[in-house]
Amino acid sequence: MGTHLVTGAGSGIGAALAQALMVRDEQLVLPARSARRAAELAERYPGAQTFVADLADPSSLVVPELDRLDSLHHVAGVVDLAPVAEVTTASLREHLDVNLVAPVVLTRLLLPALRAAHGLVVFVNSSAGLVANPDWAAYAASKFGLRAVADALRGEEAGNGVRVTTVFPSRTATPMQEKVHEQEGRAYDAARWISPETVADTILHVLDLSDDATIPEVTVRPVVPFTGR
């Protein structure tokens, strides 16, 4: 049994991953944006250790004392579509704080525990971290930056036995994706997209690799390609 910290365990990919790890009797450490949310997660995932961590305020982040951490999964994120001509400073800062700065801060705080376990850091990125389309500037900028952090961290920590993987899911059937469809003015059909469980299974495959191998990056796409923007 290992210890695994998962952000965004309340819904979507984070919830699917936390559920899968709980079924395997792994020890979960789950941040939540408020005490009320932490209590909800503790009830949903019996035995999990929860703590309050507002990813929108990275300078306030603190983490529990952990002797070792087998994996750290950055899944939580925000998205709000707008063209560059209309994006607000507040929206841009929120994207960068939640999607980029908070993962960097959490990783830095947890590196001693990750090094002790020769652990794995997984950055759940997005296809928007590979290609930036119109109206996606703020989100894509945060995800392009997250890929850069992962690449740098991978080289820095290889000698300490810490592996780093970036997962690039395309459109996935999550509440965030439903919100994106609403902003795009499109009808939402969850059956068209990757299931959160499929992405979680991909992450578990990376987690379960033998010590003699690593997967630096993996892209997950729907069988039927998305032809829109």
Side-chain angles (χ1 to χ4, degrees):
M1 183 176 68
T3 300
H4 312 274
L5 192 151
V6 182
T7 71
S11 66
I13 296 169
L17 178 60
Q19 179 66 31
L21 289 168
M22 184 180 71
V23 169
R24 289 167 33 144
D25 291 328
E26 308 279 3
Q27 177 61 48
L28 293 175
V29 182
L30 306 176
R33 62 178 176 270
S34 67
R36 180 184 64 81
R37 189 64 168 163
E40 291 174 356
L41 290 178
E43 182 176 358
R44 183 172 178 178
Y45 304 102
Q49 179 180 0
T50 62
F51 66 101
V52 176
D54 183 1
L55 302 184
D57 183 12
S59 63
S60 72
L61 293 175
V62 294
V63 296
E65 290 189 14
L66 299 170
D67 292 333
R68 54 184 289 125
L69 183 63
D70 294 278
S71 67
L72 166 60
H73 303 271
H74 297 290
V75 188
V78 296
V79 61
D80 190 15
L81 304 187
V84 172
E86 298 175 12
V87 70
T88 65
T89 302
S91 177
L92 180 59
R93 284 177 174 167
E94 182 184 24
H95 281 87
L96 294 175
D97 282 343
V98 175
N99 298 347
L100 176 58
V101 181
V104 173
V105 172
L106 284 177
T107 301
R108 173 172 56 81
L109 293 173
L110 292 163
L111 269 177
L114 286 161
R115 289 167 176 165
H118 287 183
L120 169 71
V121 181
V122 174
F123 294 93
V124 176
N125 201 294
S126 165
S127 57
L130 298 170
V131 178
N133 288 313
D135 300 335
W136 288 77
Y139 182 76
S142 68
K143 292 299 188 177
F144 269 66
L146 194 65
R147 185 186 188 186
V149 169
D151 289 349
L153 183 69
R154 186 177 300 114
E156 293 165 359
E157 293 299 321
N160 294 318
V162 176
R163 294 180 290 183
V164 178
T165 296
T166 295
V167 180
F168 296 98
S170 188
R171 296 200 175 216
T172 305
T174 65
M176 178 183 285
Q177 189 58 232
E178 189 171 3
K179 175 186 175 183
V180 166
H181 274 65
E182 182 179 347
Q183 292 179 338
E184 292 176 326
R186 300 176 184 271
Y188 177 68
D189 179 5
R192 293 186 61 192
W193 310 124
I194 307 164
S195 75
E197 290 75 19
T198 296
V199 181
D201 286 345
T202 303
I203 295 170
L204 291 177
H205 173 67
V206 174
L207 179 61
D208 291 340
L209 282 177
S210 298
D211 291 341
D212 63 347
T214 184
I215 298 177
E217 294 185 345
V218 58
T219 300
V220 188
R221 299 187 185 278
V223 172
V224 179
F226 178 57
T227 57
R229 286 199 324 219

Coordinates of all heavy atoms in Angstrom, one line a residue, residues 130-217:
L130 N -0.7 21.4 -25.8 CA 0.1 21.1 -27.0 C -0.3 22.0 -28.2 O 0.6 22.3 -29.0 CB -0.2 19.6 -27.4 CG 0.2 18.5 -26.5 CD1 -0.3 17.2 -26.9 CD2 1.7 18.5 -26.3
V131 N -1.5 22.4 -28.3 CA -2.0 23.3 -29.3 C -2.9 24.3 -28.7 O -3.9 23.9 -28.0 CB -2.7 22.5 -30.4 CG1 -3.2 23.5 -31.5 CG2 -1.8 21.5 -31.1
A132 N -2.7 25.6 -29.0 CA -3.6 26.7 -28.4 C -4.5 27.1 -29.5 O -4.1 27.7 -30.6 CB -2.7 27.8 -27.9
N133 N -5.8 26.9 -29.3 CA -6.8 27.4 -30.3 C -7.4 28.7 -29.9 O -7.3 29.1 -28.7 CB -7.9 26.3 -30.4 CG -7.4 25.0 -31.1 OD1 -6.8 25.1 -32.1 ND2 -7.7 23.9 -30.5
P134 N -8.1 29.4 -30.8 CA -8.8 30.6 -30.4 C -9.7 30.5 -29.2 O -10.4 29.4 -29.1 CB -9.6 30.9 -31.7 CG -8.9 30.3 -32.8 CD -8.3 29.0 -32.2
D135 N -9.7 31.5 -28.4 CA -10.5 31.6 -27.1 C -9.9 30.8 -26.0 O -10.5 30.8 -24.9 CB -12.0 31.1 -27.4 CG -12.7 32.0 -28.4 OD1 -12.3 33.2 -28.6 OD2 -13.7 31.5 -29.0
W136 N -8.8 30.1 -26.2 CA -8.3 29.2 -25.2 C -6.9 29.8 -24.7 O -6.2 29.1 -24.0 CB -8.0 27.8 -25.7 CG -9.3 27.0 -25.9 CD1 -10.2 27.1 -27.0 CD2 -9.8 26.0 -25.1 NE1 -11.2 26.2 -26.8 CE2 -11.0 25.5 -25.7 CE3 -9.3 25.4 -23.9 CZ2 -11.7 24.5 -25.1 CZ3 -10.1 24.4 -23.3 CH2 -11.3 23.9 -23.9
A137 N -6.6 31.0 -24.9 CA -5.3 31.6 -24.6 C -4.9 31.4 -23.1 O -3.8 31.0 -22.8 CB -5.2 33.1 -25.0
A138 N -5.8 31.8 -22.2 CA -5.4 31.8 -20.8 C -5.2 30.3 -20.3 O -4.2 30.0 -19.7 CB -6.5 32.4 -20.0
Y139 N -6.1 29.5 -20.7 CA -6.0 28.1 -20.3 C -4.8 27.4 -20.9 O -4.0 26.7 -20.2 CB -7.3 27.3 -20.7 CG -7.3 25.9 -20.2 CD1 -7.5 25.5 -18.9 CD2 -7.1 24.8 -21.2 CE1 -7.6 24.2 -18.5 CE2 -7.2 23.5 -20.8 CZ -7.4 23.2 -19.5 OH -7.4 21.9 -19.1
A140 N -4.6 27.6 -22.2 CA -3.5 27.0 -22.9 C -2.2 27.5 -22.4 O -1.2 26.8 -22.3 CB -3.6 27.3 -24.4
A141 N -2.1 28.8 -22.1 CA -0.9 29.4 -21.6 C -0.5 28.7 -20.2 O 0.7 28.4 -20.0 CB -1.0 30.9 -21.3
S142 N -1.5 28.5 -19.4 CA -1.2 27.8 -18.1 C -0.7 26.3 -18.4 O 0.2 25.8 -17.7 CB -2.4 27.8 -17.2 OG -3.5 27.0 -17.7
K143 N -1.3 25.7 -19.4 CA -1.0 24.3 -19.6 C 0.4 24.1 -20.4 O 1.1 23.2 -20.1 CB -2.1 23.6 -20.4 CG -3.4 23.5 -19.6 CD -3.1 22.6 -18.3 CE -4.4 22.2 -17.6 NZ -4.2 21.3 -16.5
F144 N 0.7 25.1 -21.3 CA 2.0 25.1 -21.9 C 3.1 25.2 -20.8 O 4.1 24.6 -20.8 CB 2.1 26.2 -22.9 CG 1.7 25.8 -24.3 CD1 0.4 25.5 -24.6 CD2 2.6 25.8 -25.3 CE1 0.0 25.1 -25.9 CE2 2.3 25.5 -26.6 CZ 1.0 25.1 -27.0
G145 N 2.8 26.2 -19.9 CA 3.7 26.4 -18.8 C 3.9 25.1 -17.9 O 5.0 24.8 -17.5
L146 N 2.8 24.4 -17.7 CA 2.8 23.2 -16.9 C 3.7 22.1 -17.5 O 4.4 21.4 -16.9 CB 1.4 22.7 -16.6 CG 1.3 21.6 -15.5 CD1 1.6 22.2 -14.2 CD2 -0.1 21.1 -15.5
R147 N 3.6 22.0 -18.9 CA 4.5 21.1 -19.6 C 6.0 21.5 -19.4 O 6.8 20.6 -19.2 CB 4.2 21.1 -21.0 CG 5.0 20.0 -21.8 CD 4.8 20.1 -23.3 NE 5.4 18.9 -23.9 CZ 5.5 18.7 -25.3 NH1 5.0 19.7 -26.1 NH2 6.1 17.7 -25.8
A148 N 6.3 22.7 -19.4 CA 7.7 23.2 -19.2 C 8.2 22.8 -17.8 O 9.3 22.4 -17.6 CB 7.8 24.7 -19.4
V149 N 7.3 23.0 -16.8 CA 7.7 22.7 -15.4 C 8.0 21.2 -15.3 O 8.9 20.7 -14.7 CB 6.5 23.1 -14.5 CG1 6.8 22.5 -13.1 CG2 6.4 24.6 -14.4
A150 N 7.1 20.3 -15.9 CA 7.3 18.9 -15.9 C 8.6 18.5 -16.6 O 9.3 17.7 -16.0 CB 6.1 18.2 -16.6
D151 N 8.9 19.1 -17.7 CA 10.1 18.8 -18.4 C 11.4 19.1 -17.6 O 12.3 18.4 -17.5 CB 10.2 19.5 -19.7 CG 9.2 18.9 -20.8 OD1 8.6 17.9 -20.5 OD2 9.0 19.6 -21.8
A152 N 11.3 20.3 -16.9 CA 12.4 20.7 -16.1 C 12.6 19.8 -14.9 O 13.7 19.4 -14.5 CB 12.3 22.2 -15.7
L153 N 11.5 19.6 -14.2 CA 11.5 18.7 -13.0 C 12.0 17.3 -13.3 O 12.7 16.7 -12.5 CB 10.1 18.7 -12.4 CG 9.9 17.9 -11.1 CD1 10.6 18.6 -10.0 CD2 8.4 17.7 -10.8
R154 N 11.6 16.8 -14.5 CA 12.0 15.4 -14.8 C 13.6 15.3 -14.9 O 14.1 14.4 -14.4 CB 11.4 15.1 -16.2 CG 11.7 13.6 -16.6 CD 11.0 13.3 -18.0 NE 9.6 13.5 -17.9 CZ 8.9 14.5 -18.6 NH1 9.6 15.3 -19.4 NH2 7.6 14.6 -18.4
G155 N 14.2 16.3 -15.5 CA 15.6 16.3 -15.5 C 16.3 16.6 -14.2 O 17.3 16.0 -13.8
E156 N 15.7 17.5 -13.4 CA 16.2 17.8 -12.1 C 16.2 16.7 -11.1 O 17.1 16.5 -10.2 CB 15.5 19.0 -11.5 CG 15.7 20.3 -12.3 CD 14.6 21.4 -11.9 OE1 13.8 21.1 -11.1 OE2 14.7 22.4 -12.5
E157 N 15.1 15.9 -11.1 CA 14.9 14.9 -10.1 C 15.2 13.4 -10.5 O 15.1 12.5 -9.7 CB 13.4 15.0 -9.6 CG 13.1 16.3 -8.9 CD 13.9 16.4 -7.6 OE1 14.2 15.4 -6.9 OE2 14.4 17.6 -7.4
A158 N 15.6 13.2 -11.7 CA 16.0 11.9 -12.1 C 17.0 11.2 -11.2 O 16.9 10.1 -10.9 CB 16.4 11.9 -13.6
G159 N 18.0 12.0 -10.8 CA 19.0 11.5 -10.0 C 18.5 11.2 -8.6 O 19.2 10.4 -7.8
N160 N 17.4 11.7 -8.2 CA 16.8 11.4 -6.9 C 15.8 10.3 -6.9 O 15.1 10.0 -5.9 CB 16.1 12.7 -6.3 CG 17.2 13.7 -6.0 OD1 18.2 13.5 -5.5 ND2 16.8 15.0 -6.3
G161 N 15.6 9.7 -8.1 CA 14.7 8.6 -8.2 C 13.3 9.0 -8.4 O 12.4 8.1 -8.3
V162 N 13.0 10.2 -8.6 CA 11.6 10.7 -8.8 C 11.3 10.8 -10.3 O 12.0 11.4 -11.1 CB 11.4 12.1 -8.2 CG1 10.0 12.7 -8.5 CG2 11.7 12.1 -6.7
R163 N 10.2 10.1 -10.7 CA 9.8 10.1 -12.1 C 8.7 11.1 -12.3 O 7.9 11.4 -11.4 CB 9.3 8.7 -12.5 CG 10.4 7.6 -12.5 CD 9.9 6.2 -12.9 NE 9.0 5.7 -11.8 CZ 8.5 4.4 -11.9 NH1 8.8 3.7 -13.0 NH2 7.8 4.0 -10.9
V164 N 8.6 11.6 -13.5 CA 7.7 12.7 -13.8 C 7.0 12.4 -15.1 O 7.7 12.1 -16.2 CB 8.4 14.1 -13.9 CG1 7.4 15.2 -14.3 CG2 9.1 14.4 -12.6
T165 N 5.7 12.3 -15.1 CA 4.9 12.0 -16.3 C 3.9 13.1 -16.6 O 3.2 13.6 -15.6 CB 4.2 10.7 -16.2 OG1 5.1 9.6 -16.1 CG2 3.2 10.4 -17.4
T166 N 3.7 13.6 -17.8 CA 2.7 14.4 -18.2 C 1.7 13.7 -19.0 O 2.0 12.9 -20.0 CB 3.2 15.6 -19.1 OG1 4.0 16.4 -18.3 CG2 2.0 16.5 -19.5
V167 N 0.4 13.8 -18.6 CA -0.7 13.1 -19.4 C -1.5 14.2 -20.1 O -1.9 15.2 -19.5 CB -1.6 12.3 -18.4 CG1 -2.8 11.7 -19.2 CG2 -0.8 11.3 -17.6
F168 N -1.7 14.0 -21.4 CA -2.4 15.0 -22.2 C -3.7 14.4 -22.7 O -3.8 13.8 -23.7 CB -1.6 15.4 -23.4 CG -0.3 16.1 -23.2 CD1 0.9 15.4 -23.1 CD2 -0.3 17.5 -22.9 CE1 2.1 16.0 -22.9 CE2 0.9 18.1 -22.7 CZ 2.1 17.4 -22.7
P169 N -4.8 14.5 -21.8 CA -6.1 14.0 -22.3 C -6.7 15.0 -23.3 O -6.6 16.2 -23.0 CB -6.9 13.9 -21.0 CG -6.0 14.2 -19.9 CD -4.9 15.0 -20.5
S170 N -7.3 14.5 -24.3 CA -8.2 15.3 -25.1 C -9.5 15.5 -24.4 O -9.6 15.2 -23.2 CB -8.3 14.7 -26.5 OG -9.0 15.6 -27.4
R171 N -10.6 15.9 -25.1 CA -11.8 16.2 -24.4 C -12.3 14.9 -23.7 O -12.5 13.9 -24.2 CB -12.9 16.6 -25.4 CG -12.4 18.0 -26.1 CD -13.6 18.7 -26.7 NE -13.2 20.0 -27.2 CZ -13.9 21.1 -27.2 NH1 -15.1 21.1 -26.6 NH2 -13.5 22.2 -27.6
T172 N -12.6 15.2 -22.4 CA -13.0 14.1 -21.5 C -14.4 14.5 -20.8 O -14.6 15.6 -20.6 CB -11.9 13.9 -20.4 OG1 -10.7 13.7 -21.0 CG2 -12.3 12.8 -19.5
A173 N -15.2 13.5 -20.6 CA -16.5 13.7 -20.1 C -16.5 14.0 -18.6 O -16.7 13.2 -17.8 CB -17.4 12.4 -20.4
T174 N -16.3 15.3 -18.3 CA -16.3 15.8 -17.0 C -17.2 17.0 -16.8 O -17.6 17.6 -17.9 CB -14.8 16.2 -16.6 OG1 -14.5 17.3 -17.4 CG2 -13.9 15.1 -16.8
P175 N -17.5 17.5 -15.6 CA -18.2 18.7 -15.4 C -17.5 19.9 -16.1 O -18.2 20.8 -16.6 CB -18.3 18.9 -13.9 CG -18.2 17.5 -13.4 CD -17.3 16.7 -14.3
M176 N -16.2 19.9 -16.1 CA -15.5 21.0 -16.7 C -15.7 21.0 -18.2 O -15.9 22.1 -18.8 CB -14.0 20.9 -16.5 CG -13.1 21.9 -17.2 SD -11.3 21.7 -17.0 CE -11.2 22.3 -15.3
Q177 N -15.8 19.8 -18.8 CA -16.1 19.7 -20.3 C -17.5 20.2 -20.6 O -17.7 20.9 -21.6 CB -15.9 18.3 -20.8 CG -15.9 18.2 -22.3 CD -14.9 19.0 -23.0 OE1 -15.3 19.8 -23.9 NE2 -13.7 18.9 -22.6
E178 N -18.4 19.9 -19.7 CA -19.8 20.3 -19.9 C -19.8 21.9 -19.9 O -20.5 22.5 -20.7 CB -20.7 19.8 -18.8 CG -22.2 20.0 -19.0 CD -23.0 19.2 -18.1 OE1 -22.5 18.5 -17.2 OE2 -24.2 19.3 -18.2
K179 N -19.1 22.5 -19.0 CA -19.0 23.9 -18.9 C -18.4 24.5 -20.2 O -18.9 25.5 -20.7 CB -18.2 24.4 -17.7 CG -17.9 25.9 -17.6 CD -17.0 26.2 -16.5 CE -16.6 27.7 -16.4 NZ -15.6 28.0 -15.4
V180 N -17.4 23.9 -20.7 CA -16.7 24.3 -21.9 C -17.7 24.3 -23.1 O -17.8 25.2 -23.9 CB -15.5 23.4 -22.3 CG1 -15.0 23.7 -23.7 CG2 -14.4 23.8 -21.3
H181 N -18.5 23.2 -23.2 CA -19.5 23.1 -24.2 C -20.5 24.3 -24.1 O -21.0 24.8 -25.1 CB -20.2 21.8 -24.2 CG -19.5 20.7 -24.9 ND1 -18.3 20.2 -24.5 CD2 -19.9 20.0 -26.0 CE1 -17.9 19.3 -25.4 NE2 -18.8 19.1 -26.3
E182 N -20.9 24.6 -22.9 CA -21.9 25.7 -22.7 C -21.3 27.0 -23.2 O -21.9 27.8 -23.8 CB -22.2 25.8 -21.2 CG -23.2 26.8 -20.9 CD -23.6 26.9 -19.4 OE1 -23.2 25.9 -18.7 OE2 -24.2 27.9 -19.0
Q183 N -20.0 27.2 -22.9 CA -19.4 28.4 -23.3 C -19.2 28.5 -24.8 O -19.2 29.6 -25.4 CB -18.0 28.6 -22.6 CG -18.1 28.8 -21.1 CD -16.7 28.9 -20.5 OE1 -15.7 28.5 -21.0 NE2 -16.7 29.6 -19.3
E184 N -19.0 27.3 -25.4 CA -18.8 27.3 -26.9 C -20.2 27.3 -27.6 O -20.2 27.4 -28.8 CB -18.1 26.0 -27.3 CG -16.6 25.9 -26.8 CD -16.0 24.6 -27.2 OE1 -16.6 23.6 -27.1 OE2 -14.8 24.6 -27.5
G185 N -21.3 27.1 -26.9 CA -22.6 27.1 -27.5 C -22.9 25.8 -28.2 O -23.6 25.7 -29.2
R186 N -22.2 24.7 -27.7 CA -22.4 23.4 -28.3 C -23.3 22.5 -27.4 O -23.2 22.6 -26.2 CB -21.0 22.7 -28.5 CG -20.1 23.4 -29.4 CD -18.7 22.7 -29.4 NE -17.7 23.4 -30.2 CZ -17.5 23.2 -31.5 NH1 -18.3 22.4 -32.2 NH2 -16.6 23.9 -32.1
A187 N -24.0 21.6 -28.0 CA -24.7 20.5 -27.3 C -23.7 19.6 -26.7 O -22.7 19.2 -27.3 CB -25.7 19.8 -28.2
Y188 N -23.9 19.2 -25.4 CA -22.9 18.3 -24.7 C -23.4 16.9 -24.7 O -24.6 16.6 -24.3 CB -22.7 18.8 -23.3 CG -21.8 17.9 -22.5 CD1 -20.5 17.8 -22.7 CD2 -22.3 17.1 -21.4 CE1 -19.6 17.0 -22.0 CE2 -21.5 16.3 -20.7 CZ -20.2 16.2 -21.0 OH -19.3 15.4 -20.2
D189 N -22.6 16.0 -25.2 CA -22.9 14.6 -25.3 C -21.7 13.8 -24.7 O -20.7 13.6 -25.3 CB -23.2 14.1 -26.7 CG -23.5 12.6 -26.8 OD1 -23.6 12.0 -25.7 OD2 -23.7 12.1 -27.9
A190 N -21.9 13.4 -23.4 CA -20.7 12.8 -22.7 C -20.2 11.5 -23.5 O -19.0 11.2 -23.4 CB -21.1 12.4 -21.3
A191 N -21.1 10.8 -24.2 CA -20.7 9.6 -24.8 C -19.7 9.8 -25.9 O -19.1 8.9 -26.4 CB -22.0 8.9 -25.4
R192 N -19.6 11.1 -26.4 CA -18.6 11.3 -27.5 C -17.2 11.4 -27.0 O -16.2 11.3 -27.8 CB -18.9 12.7 -28.2 CG -20.2 12.7 -28.9 CD -20.4 14.0 -29.7 NE -19.3 14.2 -30.6 CZ -19.0 15.4 -31.2 NH1 -19.7 16.5 -30.9 NH2 -18.0 15.4 -32.1
W193 N -17.0 11.6 -25.7 CA -15.7 11.9 -25.2 C -15.1 10.8 -24.3 O -15.8 9.8 -24.0 CB -15.8 13.2 -24.4 CG -16.5 14.3 -25.1 CD1 -17.6 15.0 -24.7 CD2 -16.1 14.8 -26.4 NE1 -17.9 15.9 -25.6 CE2 -17.1 15.8 -26.7 CE3 -15.2 14.5 -27.3 CZ2 -17.1 16.5 -27.9 CZ3 -15.1 15.2 -28.5 CH2 -16.1 16.2 -28.8
I194 N -13.8 10.9 -24.0 CA -13.1 9.9 -23.2 C -13.8 9.9 -21.8 O -14.1 11.0 -21.3 CB -11.6 10.3 -23.0 CG1 -11.0 10.5 -24.4 CG2 -10.9 9.3 -22.2 CD1 -9.7 11.3 -24.3
S195 N -13.9 8.8 -21.2 CA -14.4 8.7 -19.8 C -13.3 9.1 -18.9 O -12.1 8.8 -19.1 CB -15.0 7.3 -19.5 OG -13.9 6.4 -19.3
P196 N -13.6 9.7 -17.7 CA -12.6 9.9 -16.7 C -11.9 8.7 -16.2 O -10.7 8.7 -15.9 CB -13.4 10.6 -15.6 CG -14.6 11.2 -16.2 CD -15.0 10.2 -17.4
E197 N -12.6 7.6 -16.2 CA -12.1 6.3 -15.8 C -11.0 5.8 -16.7 O -10.0 5.2 -16.3 CB -13.2 5.2 -15.7 CG -14.1 5.4 -14.5 CD -15.1 6.6 -14.8 OE1 -15.3 7.0 -15.9 OE2 -15.7 7.1 -13.8
T198 N -11.1 6.1 -18.0 CA -10.1 5.7 -19.0 C -8.8 6.5 -18.7 O -7.7 5.9 -18.8 CB -10.6 6.0 -20.4 OG1 -11.7 5.2 -20.7 CG2 -9.5 5.7 -21.4
V199 N -8.9 7.8 -18.4 CA -7.7 8.6 -18.1 C -7.1 8.1 -16.8 O -5.9 8.0 -16.7 CB -8.1 10.1 -18.0 CG1 -6.8 10.9 -17.7 CG2 -8.7 10.6 -19.3
A200 N -8.0 7.8 -15.8 CA -7.5 7.3 -14.5 C -6.7 5.9 -14.8 O -5.7 5.7 -14.2 CB -8.6 7.1 -13.6
D201 N -7.2 5.1 -15.6 CA -6.6 3.8 -15.9 C -5.2 4.1 -16.6 O -4.2 3.3 -16.3 CB -7.4 3.0 -16.9 CG -8.6 2.3 -16.2 OD1 -8.7 2.3 -14.9 OD2 -9.5 1.9 -16.9
T202 N -5.1 5.1 -17.4 CA -3.8 5.4 -18.0 C -2.8 5.8 -17.0 O -1.7 5.4 -17.0 CB -4.0 6.6 -19.0 OG1 -5.0 6.2 -20.0 CG2 -2.7 6.9 -19.7
I203 N -3.3 6.6 -16.0 CA -2.4 7.1 -14.9 C -2.0 5.9 -14.1 O -0.8 5.8 -13.7 CB -3.1 8.2 -14.1 CG1 -3.4 9.4 -14.9 CG2 -2.3 8.5 -12.8 CD1 -4.3 10.4 -14.2
L204 N -2.9 5.0 -13.8 CA -2.5 3.8 -13.0 C -1.5 3.0 -13.7 O -0.6 2.4 -13.1 CB -3.8 3.0 -12.7 CG -4.8 3.6 -11.7 CD1 -6.0 2.7 -11.6 CD2 -4.2 3.9 -10.4
H205 N -1.6 2.9 -15.0 CA -0.6 2.1 -15.8 C 0.8 2.8 -15.6 O 1.8 2.0 -15.4 CB -0.9 2.1 -17.3 CG 0.1 1.6 -18.1 ND1 0.5 0.2 -18.1 CD2 1.0 2.1 -19.1 CE1 1.5 0.0 -19.0 NE2 1.8 1.2 -19.6
V206 N 0.9 4.1 -15.6 CA 2.1 4.8 -15.4 C 2.6 4.5 -14.0 O 3.8 4.2 -13.7 CB 2.0 6.3 -15.7 CG1 3.3 7.0 -15.3 CG2 1.6 6.5 -17.1
L207 N 1.7 4.6 -13.0 CA 2.1 4.4 -11.6 C 2.6 3.0 -11.4 O 3.5 2.8 -10.5 CB 0.8 4.7 -10.8 CG 1.0 4.5 -9.2 CD1 2.0 5.5 -8.7 CD2 -0.4 4.7 -8.6
D208 N 2.1 2.0 -12.1 CA 2.4 0.6 -11.8 C 3.7 0.1 -12.6 O 4.0 -1.0 -12.5 CB 1.2 -0.3 -12.2 CG 0.1 -0.1 -11.2 OD1 0.3 0.4 -10.1 OD2 -1.1 -0.5 -11.5
L209 N 4.3 1.0 -13.3 CA 5.5 0.6 -14.1 C 6.6 0.1 -13.1 O 6.7 0.6 -12.0 CB 6.1 1.8 -14.9 CG 5.4 2.2 -16.2 CD1 6.0 3.4 -16.7 CD2 5.4 1.0 -17.2
S210 N 7.4 -0.8 -13.6 CA 8.5 -1.2 -12.8 C 9.5 -0.1 -12.7 O 9.5 0.9 -13.5 CB 9.2 -2.4 -13.5 OG 8.3 -3.5 -13.6
D211 N 10.4 -0.2 -11.8 CA 11.4 0.8 -11.5 C 12.4 1.0 -12.7 O 13.1 2.0 -12.7 CB 12.2 0.5 -10.2 CG 11.3 0.6 -9.0 OD1 10.3 1.3 -9.1 OD2 11.7 0.1 -8.0
D212 N 12.4 0.1 -13.6 CA 13.4 0.2 -14.7 C 12.9 1.0 -15.9 O 13.5 1.1 -17.0 CB 13.9 -1.2 -15.2 CG 12.7 -2.0 -15.7 OD1 11.5 -1.6 -15.6 OD2 13.0 -3.0 -16.4
A213 N 11.7 1.6 -15.8 CA 11.1 2.3 -16.9 C 10.3 3.5 -16.5 O 9.9 3.6 -15.3 CB 10.2 1.4 -17.7
T214 N 10.1 4.4 -17.4 CA 9.3 5.6 -17.1 C 8.6 6.0 -18.4 O 9.1 5.7 -19.5 CB 10.2 6.8 -16.6 OG1 9.3 7.9 -16.3 CG2 11.1 7.2 -17.7
I215 N 7.5 6.7 -18.3 CA 6.7 7.2 -19.5 C 6.7 8.7 -19.3 O 5.9 9.2 -18.5 CB 5.3 6.7 -19.6 CG1 5.4 5.1 -19.8 CG2 4.6 7.3 -20.7 CD1 4.0 4.5 -19.8
P216 N 7.6 9.5 -20.0 CA 7.6 10.9 -19.8 C 6.3 11.6 -20.2 O 5.9 12.5 -19.5 CB 8.8 11.3 -20.7 CG 9.6 10.1 -20.9 CD 8.6 9.0 -20.9
E217 N 5.7 11.2 -21.3 CA 4.5 11.8 -21.7 C 3.6 10.8 -22.4 O 4.0 9.8 -23.0 CB 4.8 12.9 -22.8 CG 5.5 14.1 -22.2 CD 5.7 15.2 -23.3 OE1 5.5 15.0 -24.5 OE2 6.1 16.3 -22.9

